[in-house]
Structures are given as structure tokens and as C-alpha cells.
Amino acid sequence: MHIFYTPDLIAEVYTLSEEESKHAVRVLRLQAGDEVVLVDGKGGYYQARILEANPKRTHLQVFQTQQEFGKRNHYLHIAVAPTKNIERLEWFLEKATELGIDEITPLICERSERKEVKTERLNKIISSAVKQSIKAYHPVLNEPIGFKKFVELPFDGQKFIAHCMEGDKSSIQEMIKPKSKYLVLIGPEGDFTSAELALAAANAIFPISLGKSRLRTETAALAACFEINFLNR
Amino acid sequence: MHIFYTPDLIAEVYTLSEEESKHAVRVLRLQAGDEVVLVDGKGGYYQARILEANPKRTHLQVFQTQQEFGKRNHYLHIAVAPTKNIERLEWFLEKATELGIDEITPLICERSERKEVKTERLNKIISSAVKQSIKAYHPVLNEPIGFKKFVELPFDGQKFIAHCMEGDKSSIQEMIKPKSKYLVLIGPEGDFTSAELALAAANAIFPISLGKSRLRTETAALAACFEINFLNR
């Protein structure tokens, strides 16, 4: 079954963009009468039939609608320092989308080697994973933000920070209230600084450990994502 | 701290290979007296000092030895169908090494699009992750093997097969005996065939589910690795 991501779907008749129309007709060789699936990224899952297979404007008719498709029982926001090698962050975005995540913020830290990211390209990777793993919800990717500014933003859920320095740390498992909202901060290759950790503590962000292994940034972020999804199964 | 993988270390004086010596002296700029760490891949963790920083033959003296360094409380063998895009399998190997795995077998299935892999290159990826995440145990990568032959091999632990078809499936969590030996089979992009699933059942390999999400091959393999490590924490 072919899936299209259609965030602007509002009526029962929908027209694919020129790029998507070309893909549908020239690559997928879809024809009038063929069935496809549309997901709007906000929980809507639509079964539709092709009315006209036009490589510029392919028209579709929705014949079945499901809202809150695959709705998860919790909300997960991961703020992660972009990796020096951007492919590692891209890999995290793809895998987290498959496993289940709601919001991602690229977090610029004191020791970040990479201070900027192109969210447009990263969003395309997320959209592609949304389609591949048939998700009706599209994770939100925020613009990059500095650590100091970010930790002061309000968040009405549990807030955690994973770091590798010594000190009292609990596991997520010990801390977590099930079916809740969670924010997890993951630092850069050189870890958070003690000043950043102090600032996190001052903003009621609790230090956690992700187990005994020394993990790369993107692996730690994915481990947090896995663990929170697992504990909410 | 710089780490070298030295599987052939047997005495307290060790000589780095020509390639490693060149790297140590020309790239890392190590000098006589500098301290490094050696891991032998079989649980040995050694602190050593450079006796002579020679770009062809760098000699080291071990001054502290620890056996069974970071020994895990269980044994995990994952047999996974190599992905069409080999980079996806490479990612899995790197991440699984970071998280903790003992043995990996590339499993050639009926629907495998890729029937062969170059284990030499894949082993280099594992060794690099061993060093990066400071592991004293080096996961074993077996040569590829056909599904039918593999499922008939003896294995003295719990055997699971993860697939996407309908049917009675338990979660790993429901099935697992803690601190044990586990084998998990992960299929190719097009999943296992029913004939393969029947063959697995005939060989006492139990079907499991890895949660509700539709996961790519390498994500499923990593999810199994996460989950088994997590349940043995």
C-alpha cells in the first residue's frame, strides 16, 4: 500500500502536489481506481482512491477516515545536541520516528561542535520515516535553541537530563510516572558542562542514567526514546 | 584516553601492528611515557605505558590488568537478515556493540534481497565501536548462513523469532528468563515466509512481537537488543 503525507488535507477530495503527483504516476505507476493511504500528521489516517492519475495534479477521493490512528498513551520530547556528523542525528530522527516520538529540539550546548542544523532536510527524513512506518502523527521538529534559553521554557511534564558525569543519578524507570509527558535532554559528544548541569538542576530537570554503557549522543537519545516507549507499553 | 584493540595480547610487553603504530605516533602523536588502554576483546582491560613510540613498531608495557571488565550478566546472539542497503546493517552493528551484544549472524532468508556480506569490513565497524564505547569484550560476527541450516543448529538458551505476520505472539518481556542466553531472529525487508516460520516453530523458536510499531529490519534488531539488555539490568 502506497502512503502519502498530506498535512494540508481538509476535504474528501485531495490533490497531490506536483512532485507527489509525478512520483505517483511516473514512479509508482498508479492509475485511476488504485487505492492509497494518506496520513495528515495529526492523527488522521485516510483510505483514498485515485480519481485522475495526472503527473501534475493527481486527484484523490477519500472513502474511509480514521482519526487518532495509532495514538500513543504518552508524550515524548527529546532535546538533543546535534552531532558533528549530521548523519548521526538523521539516523536518530529516523529511528525515533519509527519507535515513537512527538517532539525533537536540536539543543545547542556549550561543548556543541555543531551550532546549526538545516531543519528542512531533517524534516524530510522524518516525513519519510512517517510514511515508511505508517504513522498518522508527524513528530514536530523545532528550530535549534541554546541550552540556557531552552531550560527556562515551561514544560508541564517530567524533565530529565542524561549525562556521563559522576553524581547521584536515577534510572528513567525509577523516576517515571506512566502515561505522562516527558522531556529528555541529551548532550553533545563532550557532554554537558557542570554549569549546564547546575542550570538544569535549578530548573527542576532531574539527572538520569541510561545504563552502564558509554553511549554516543545519538545512541543515548535513541536509548531514552526506547526506554520511555517500553515503560509505557 | 586512547584505546587499542589488541586481540593477540599475551604478555606484559606488547607491540602495536605497523598500522596501529603509525596511527599512534603520526596521528595521535603519542610519545614514550604516555598511557593508553588496551582491550583484548575477551574481557581483558589493560593500562599500558609506551616504551618506544616508533611509527613501525610501538612497544608498550602493561602496568595494570583487569579481567572480565564490564562483563554482562547474560548472552545475546542476534541473527539478522542483511539489509539491501548495507549501511543499515552497519549502523545496527555499531549501535548493538555500544548497547551490548555477544554474537551476530547474518541470516540469509528466502526473501533476502542481499545474499552476501563482507564480514571483514563489518568486523572493522564492530572493532571501532568496541574502542569508542570502551568494551573489553568484542562481539563475534559469524559468516552468513542460510535460514534452514541455521535454525537446526543447537543453541542452549531461549530462542525467539520476531515477525510482522498475524498470529499468537508474546512480548520478549513475557517470555524471558533473566540472566540467561538468548537468540533472536530478525527477518528481511519482506519478512520471513510462512514456510520459514513453520520451520522455526518446528525447531522450538518462539514467535515474539517487538511492540506495535512497524519497524525496519535494523530497527527491529536494535529494539530486540535494547529490550533484552534493559530486562537484564
Side-chain angles (χ1 to χ4, degrees), chain A residues 76-141:
Chain A
L76 174 58
H77 179 176
I78 292 187
V80 54
T83 47
K84 188 176 163 192
N85 173 351
I86 196 72
E87 280 185 19
R88 296 186 171 275
L89 180 65
E90 293 173 0
W91 176 86
F92 163 71
L93 294 174
E94 177 185 300
K95 296 308 168 211
T97 302
E98 283 180 56
L99 291 169
I101 193 165
D102 299 279
E103 192 173 348
I104 305 115
T105 300
L107 191 64
I108 310 303
C109 304
E110 234 176 282
R111 296 204 185 115
S112 286
E113 288 198 62
R114 172 185 291 276
K115 306 275 187 194
E116 35 190 60
V117 294
K118 295 205 177 78
T119 49
E120 196 187 325
R121 178 180 154 83
L122 299 180
N123 244 323
K124 280 192 185 162
I125 286 165
I126 295 175
S127 302
S128 160
V130 159
K131 289 194 280 182
Q132 199 278 331
S133 61
I134 319 176
K135 295 273 190 275
Y137 291 90
H138 192 291
V140 172
L141 176 67

Side-chain angles (χ1 to χ4, degrees), chain A residues 88 94-95 98 218-219, chain B residues 88 94-95 98 218-219:
Chain A
R88 296 186 171 275
E94 177 185 300
K95 296 308 168 211
E98 283 180 56
E218 75 282 6
T219 321
Chain B
R88 296 186 170 274
E94 178 185 300
K95 298 306 166 209
E98 282 179 57
E218 75 282 6
T219 320

Side-chain angles (χ1 to χ4, degrees), chain B residues 161-209:
Chain B
I161 185 165
H163 66 85
C164 306
M165 284 166 71
E166 294 294 314
D168 270 349
K169 288 184 276 188
S170 306
S171 67
I172 292 183
Q173 191 171 18
E174 289 163 328
M175 301 283 287
I176 208 174
K177 290 179 202 132
K179 299 179 189 176
S180 175
K181 278 188 79 168
Y182 318 99
L183 169 64
V184 186
L185 276 60
I186 305 285
E189 277 90 342
D191 209 352
F192 293 111
T193 61
S194 357
E196 284 172 333
L197 292 180
L199 206 57
N203 284 282
I205 305 177
F206 292 94
I208 49 149
S209 154

Side-chain angles (χ1 to χ4, degrees), chain A residues 88 91 94-95 98 132-135 210 213-216 218-219 223 226-227 230 233, chain B residues 88 91 94-95 98-99 132-135 173 210 213-216 218-219 226-227 230 233:
Chain A
R88 296 186 171 275
W91 176 86
E94 177 185 300
K95 296 308 168 211
E98 283 180 56
Q132 199 278 331
S133 61
I134 319 176
K135 295 273 190 275
L210 293 167
S213 292
R214 179 167 114 160
L215 304 176
R216 282 178 179 275
E218 75 282 6
T219 321
F226 173 81
E227 193 166 336
F230 182 81
R233 254 194 215 165
Chain B
R88 296 186 170 274
W91 270 113
E94 178 185 300
K95 298 306 166 209
E98 282 179 57
L99 292 167
Q132 199 277 332
S133 60
I134 320 176
K135 295 273 189 275
Q173 191 171 18
L210 294 166
S213 292
R214 179 167 115 161
L215 304 175
R216 282 179 179 275
E218 75 282 6
T219 320
F226 265 124
E227 192 166 337
F230 182 81
R233 252 195 215 162

